[in-house]
Amino acid sequence: MTMEEELQLLDKKVMQLKLDYEQYFLGSRPREPVLLRADAQKQIIRHSNTAIQNTALRFKFNSINSRFQAYKRQWDSILRQIDAGTYKRHVFKAKLHDRLRDSGVDGEHPGAEQPGETSPSLFDSYQEAARACGQNVSGLTPDKLDALIRKQEAALREQLGCEKVQFRVVVEAGKVKLKASAVR
């Protein structure tokens, strides 16, 4: 491979690594992407020890390297926060799990509700999750959330082939969503 092709591959690895870490920090990926990180680190070190004569390629490598180093600092900082238990998204999830455990309900999210009625806990869970993700919730009311649920409920019952639909609050890619599941 030419140096330019290697740098393009390295750039793609760094971008994939960034996406993998974002998924890991959001909780949708079970393990930290250490193998990809180690591979990217090895390539960075190998190219750092090579004299790159072409100015454009040297600039491209330095850009990739500085971006990778900045990401590493950010990832290491977040990993330290996770270890200390102060990472905001994980703190939010821990509070939700604690509320579930304290409520004594087995297997049901505290935000679960029956069709046609938005429970205060569903509304509160949605509002708290949205705030934790930095979303504006000033215009959100229980009636608006209930209207949204009723609007989608009939189609979901038909799609899922069930009589009742239960909703729960989830956070995906830093955004709060309502997930529906069939009650059988």
Side-chain angles (χ1 to χ4, degrees):
M1 274 201 306
T2 67
M3 177 63 86
E4 187 172 356
E5 290 171 336
E6 286 182 27
L7 291 179
Q8 286 176 347
L9 182 64
L10 179 60
D11 191 29
K12 287 179 183 176
K13 279 185 184 178
V14 169
M15 293 309 295
Q16 182 62 48
L17 192 56
K18 178 182 183 274
L19 294 173
D20 288 353
Y21 263 105
E22 286 174 0
Q23 289 176 346
Y24 172 68
F25 293 140
L26 289 173
S28 61
R29 185 184 170 97
R31 282 184 226 82
E32 181 182 355
V34 291
L35 294 177
L36 185 58
R37 182 175 175 168
D39 186 38
Q41 181 71 41
K42 285 177 188 175
Q43 282 189 322
I44 294 277
I45 291 171
R46 185 169 53 86
H47 288 299
S48 294
N49 295 331
T50 305
I52 302 172
Q53 300 299 318
N54 186 320
T55 307
L57 293 178
R58 187 171 55 240
F59 178 79
K60 184 172 183 168
F61 169 72
N62 288 337
S63 297
I64 295 169
N65 185 24
S66 63
R67 190 167 9 108
F68 179 71
Q69 299 305 325
Y71 288 151
K72 264 182 38 175
R73 282 190 297 276
Q74 179 186 11
W75 299 330
D76 291 342
S77 171
I78 293 173
L79 289 170
R80 282 192 299 275
Q81 289 175 10
I82 290 172
D83 287 342
T86 59
Y87 186 54
K88 284 185 181 178
R89 290 192 177 131
H90 286 181
V91 169
F92 168 73
K93 281 185 179 180
K95 286 180 183 176
L96 282 180
H97 289 291
D98 287 344
R99 264 195 275 142
L100 175 63
R101 192 173 40 249
D102 292 343
S103 69
V105 178
D106 293 330
E108 188 175 293
H109 189 282
E113 57 86 37
Q114 297 304 315
E117 57 182 57
T118 303
S119 69
S121 63
L122 178 69
F123 175 74
D124 293 340
S125 295
Y126 187 89
Q127 196 172 31
E128 185 180 333
R131 281 191 188 119
C133 292
Q135 295 177 352
N136 183 9
V137 291
S138 60
L140 182 66
T141 64
D143 292 334
K144 285 183 181 179
L145 189 61
D146 190 40
L148 175 71
I149 288 171
R150 276 190 272 122
K151 182 178 168 184
Q152 297 178 2
E153 188 176 356
L156 287 169
R157 280 195 308 244
E158 187 176 317
Q159 180 183 357
L160 297 173
C162 64
E163 291 290 320
K164 294 182 180 180
V165 178
Q166 183 173 304
F167 293 87
R168 58 187 163 78
V169 177
V170 296
V171 178
E172 289 181 352
K175 295 194 180 195
V176 180
K177 297 180 181 182
L178 289 175
K179 285 278 184 166
S181 56
V183 177
R184 306 213 187 245

